[in-house]
Amino acid sequence: MPARPVWDGKRFRNFCVKMNKRLIFAVLATGFSGMVVQLLLLREFLVIFHGNDLAIGIIFANWLAVEAFGAFFIGKRIEQSRKRIGWFIALSVLFVLSAPLALYLVRIVRDLIGVLPGVGMGVSTIFYSSLLILFLPSLLHGALFVFTCKLCAQFIRDPEHDARKGASSVGQAYVWETIGHIAGAVVFTCLLILLFHSFAIVFGVGLLTIIASVALATFQSKAGKRKALAVLIPVLAIFVYLLASDGDERLHYHAIARQWPDKEVIHHQHSHYGNVAVIFRKGEYTFLTDGIPTFTTPTPDIVRVEEFIHFPMLAHPRPENVAILVGGAGGKISEILKHPLVERVDYTEVNPLLIDLVRKFPTPLTEAELGDPRVNTLHVDGRRFLELTPYQYDLIFVGISNPENLQVNRLFTAEFARIAKERLREGGILAVTLPGSLTYLSHELRNLNGVIINTLKSVFPYVHIIPGYQNIFLSSTTPDVILINATLLYERLRKRQLDLRLITRPYLEVRLAPHWLNWFLESMRGATREINHDFRPKGFFYSLTYWNAMFSPYLSDFFRWLEGLELALFAIVIAAVTAMLLALRWRITRLRRLTIPYSIATTGFSGMAFDLLLIFAFQVLFGFVFHWIGLLLAAFMGGVAGGGFVMTTLLPRIKDDRALFIKLEIAVGLFAVLLPLVILVVAPYLGNIVVFVFAQLLFLLLAFAAGALIGLKFPLANRMYLALSPNLSRTAGLIYSADLAGGWTGGIIAAVVLLPVLGLVGTSLVIVMIKASSLIMLATSFREK
């Protein structure tokens, strides 16, 4: 590092101006690359974890937790180092090298831990595998933030670092890094994910970070510059070579081959709506969305397809208009078209890439299905389609058999059932399926089936159940559906001259034998009485418990405990923790200064919970949150940047830090009250196209407002704590770590417990309780002083 000139000298002022610009570029590049890597790894993890929305909260939480560790335990040692630019460059290089390593590990993690492709993962596996893979890049990214704070303080502000100026440098670094986050989220969502594969993206952002490091390296001493460039130039050359020689593409396909061993993956692509892959094996194509097999063609699962389609079709005396929501290609549509009375089939898929690939890799079966003039293929969310279509249907099929994530759960709620009921003709049937058994119904399987039966019965007066290894539920407004039997269905089969491979008269007599239904109803005793709602997704929760009973059975007792969890328990726990903290602080005076980090930790909890609430609600209302998750994060980070910038600007003029800090604490709690109210007010009117578009923009505004509340508190908290402890790096690391640690806790608890069990309103009330706790701590702390 150059010798320090006189701080008010002209030479040093010019030096600081140049350094300022390059430092800001480096901070922007750090934020940009961090956000792109985070979103990219999230996308890849969701493929491995089969699109489970629960994983979003866990992944974000683990990233924040390790960032906090890096910020506090590595960043606080900066004070002892004089070669801060050199260390910043070294950490940047390690970060850009760790990103492709993490991406490769995501692709091969199933192979590493011995989980076969297509087999689900429990919550514990999702947690530890994502934590280990994210550890190195997020650790380094957290440490980089504290380095940027110190560099900003050194080259942008007076080096004496009094509380006000030190806080300004922290706030400035926070704002610039957040602007980089925003740019990264927008560019990734709107450009990178659509045009490039994952390894090209990760090497590209690495190249940007290395260039920013080269710019900083020129401000070191000659010896330091030589050492930095000796590292940077080879790394830069390697990245350029990989991108220019298609080395990134070779690595991409090598990782895919490890991800799907012994299978030929002929296509792998991300879109706005998720990942789609195509596997070719022995003349058959299997199409996967987010790692889940959607259908296989030209030879589908005959048992599942024929039972699911023909039992409902034969239960209706005259099926003419049919809608199938999701998963219709590859056999289901073909079976529907065998019924001679069918005049119209409306088939919806929210991801147009899936249909494009079905047409790109055609078989006689799919060509016949999609080429039939009676079939209308619509690239739209199935639920949204039913809300807007003017048509009435004789049958509506839900083509997915388990509410395993929030996107699918939307097709199993009471709100959806009411929409479907309005679109059915007189005597029309809504057909859905769930996992079942003809030998034993476990506690988890009973509750999963029970919550959907309760939901359907809350809307339809008649629900007929056909038990099996896939349970089929036929719901209607007329009693005809519960009067079906083997004789009636076979008579209709014969009259329609259907040529079926599986369903014959003996097969119908066995499958529809009354003793199976009696056994099922007897086995369902003691099942839950809950109803599945959009904003209290009990279907998703019971699917999660069923999933974990299969793949993480040692957590079964934990999930059974969660089933009975009530809001009152959270109130008792939060009150007890608050009382304990007050008692400890009264006895140990030194702990009083930790009131501010505690407030920031609860704010971090709230911020992460707000993020997940908005993602959760967006998925429930619109069904394509993967398209918007980057934009929602960008809006949230934009609010953080805006709030941080405003507070950093106002810091010199603020005289009463404590009063303002308490007002901000109250504002976060009020926002937690208003957020669910706004969402619930807007939800019923989404059938109007103007409201539908406005509501999406409203979510961005809400995300921005949530971020602004978080951003406003951060610089002010730094200044208040610096008044107690003048060590800038340690203060920045502590406050940043408290923020991220709170975010980690919020991500885990909100994703695993609050949202699935308590839903939208319950989760918001828990946030209010937590902020009330920190408000009490602040108010009593300030009074004691």
Side-chain angles (χ1 to χ4, degrees), residues 385-407:
F385 169 74
L386 286 186
E387 289 178 318
L388 298 179
T389 182
Y391 292 101
Q392 299 288 111
Y393 297 96
D394 299 300
L395 288 111
I396 297 174
F397 291 92
V398 175
I400 298 181
S401 63
N402 188 359
E404 60 193 0
N405 55 52
L406 289 174
Q407 183 181 38

Side-chain angles (χ1 to χ4, degrees), residues 214-468:
V214 170
L216 275 184
T218 58
F219 280 92
Q220 295 193 102
S221 64
K222 291 183 179 180
K225 187 188 304 183
R226 284 196 300 269
K227 290 179 181 179
L229 294 179
V231 174
L232 290 171
I233 298 303
V235 175
L236 184 67
I238 291 172
F239 276 38
V240 171
Y241 172 77
L242 287 172
L243 290 170
S245 65
D246 294 331
D248 58 310
E249 190 165 349
R250 292 193 297 272
L251 187 57
H252 169 68
Y253 285 111
H254 172 74
I256 290 174
R258 289 287 305 275
Q259 184 177 355
W260 299 96
D262 304 322
K263 293 179 174 62
E264 184 184 357
V265 180
I266 58 175
H267 196 92
H268 184 281
Q269 184 177 348
H270 290 290
S271 75
H272 279 316
Y273 304 97
N275 175 271
V276 181
V278 184
I279 293 174
F280 181 75
R281 186 173 184 270
K282 296 182 179 179
E284 293 186 342
Y285 297 100
T286 299
F287 294 83
L288 305 100
T289 55
D290 291 321
I292 304 172
T294 304
F295 49 78
T296 298
T297 182
T299 309
D301 186 332
I302 301 301
V303 176
R304 286 184 175 275
V305 170
E306 286 204 0
E307 284 192 355
F308 176 53
I309 296 300
H310 293 298
F311 284 170
M313 293 290 287
L314 293 171
H316 196 285
R318 192 175 178 82
E320 296 174 342
N321 285 1
V322 179
I324 181 162
L325 313 180
V326 189
K332 295 184 179 75
I333 294 174
S334 176
E335 297 301 319
I336 292 172
L337 295 175
K338 289 180 180 180
H339 292 256
L341 297 175
V342 171
E343 297 175 356
R344 179 186 183 92
V345 178
D346 288 335
Y347 166 43
T348 69
E349 285 286 359
V350 70
N351 193 345
L353 177 61
L354 178 62
I355 300 302
D356 291 343
L357 293 177
V358 170
R359 291 193 169 104
K360 182 178 180 179
F361 303 104
T363 64
L365 174 66
T366 54
E367 285 184 322
E369 287 179 325
L370 301 183
D372 193 291
R374 294 171 290 175
V375 176
N376 302 293
T377 304
L378 304 154
H379 303 311
V380 64
D381 170 60
R383 176 163 163 168
R384 176 70 177 164
F385 169 74
L386 286 186
E387 289 178 318
L388 298 179
T389 182
Y391 292 101
Q392 299 288 111
Y393 297 96
D394 299 300
L395 288 111
I396 297 174
F397 291 92
V398 175
I400 298 181
S401 63
N402 188 359
E404 60 193 0
N405 55 52
L406 289 174
Q407 183 181 38
V408 178
N409 187 72
R410 306 166 61 252
L411 304 179
F412 289 83
T413 62
E415 292 81 0
F416 168 76
R418 283 192 282 271
I419 295 170
K421 182 180 178 181
E422 292 175 0
R423 288 294 171 263
L424 287 172
R425 291 175 172 176
E426 182 69 19
I429 298 171
L430 170 66
V432 302
T433 64
L434 286 173
S437 174
L438 291 176
T439 56
Y440 171 71
L441 294 181
S442 66
H443 172 82
E444 293 78 15
L445 198 53
R446 276 201 309 273
N447 283 337
L448 174 58
N449 281 269
V451 72
I452 302 305
I453 292 172
N454 299 339
T455 302
L456 294 172
K457 286 184 175 180
S458 72
V459 176
F460 290 93
Y462 304 101
V463 178
H464 184 68
I465 305 166
I466 303 175

Side-chain angles (χ1 to χ4, degrees), residues 37 69 245 293 304 662 698:
V37 169
F69 183 85
S245 65
R304 286 184 175 275
I662 286 180
L698 177 63

Side-chain angles (χ1 to χ4, degrees), residues 30-87:
T30 300
F32 182 92
S33 60
M35 178 56 72
V36 170
V37 169
Q38 187 177 6
L39 289 174
L40 180 63
L41 292 177
L42 173 65
R43 284 269 190 156
E44 294 287 339
F45 271 124
L46 287 174
V47 176
I48 299 299
F49 301 146
H50 293 174
N52 191 338
D53 304 87
L54 168 75
I56 296 175
I58 294 176
I59 292 165
F60 281 160
N62 282 338
W63 181 279
L64 290 178
V66 184
E67 273 215 17
F69 183 85
F72 187 73
F73 289 99
I74 297 178
K76 74 177 184 178
R77 289 168 170 75
I78 296 173
E79 294 284 358
Q80 303 170 2
S81 174
R82 296 182 179 180
K83 300 179 180 179
R84 295 177 187 125
I85 295 178
W87 276 110

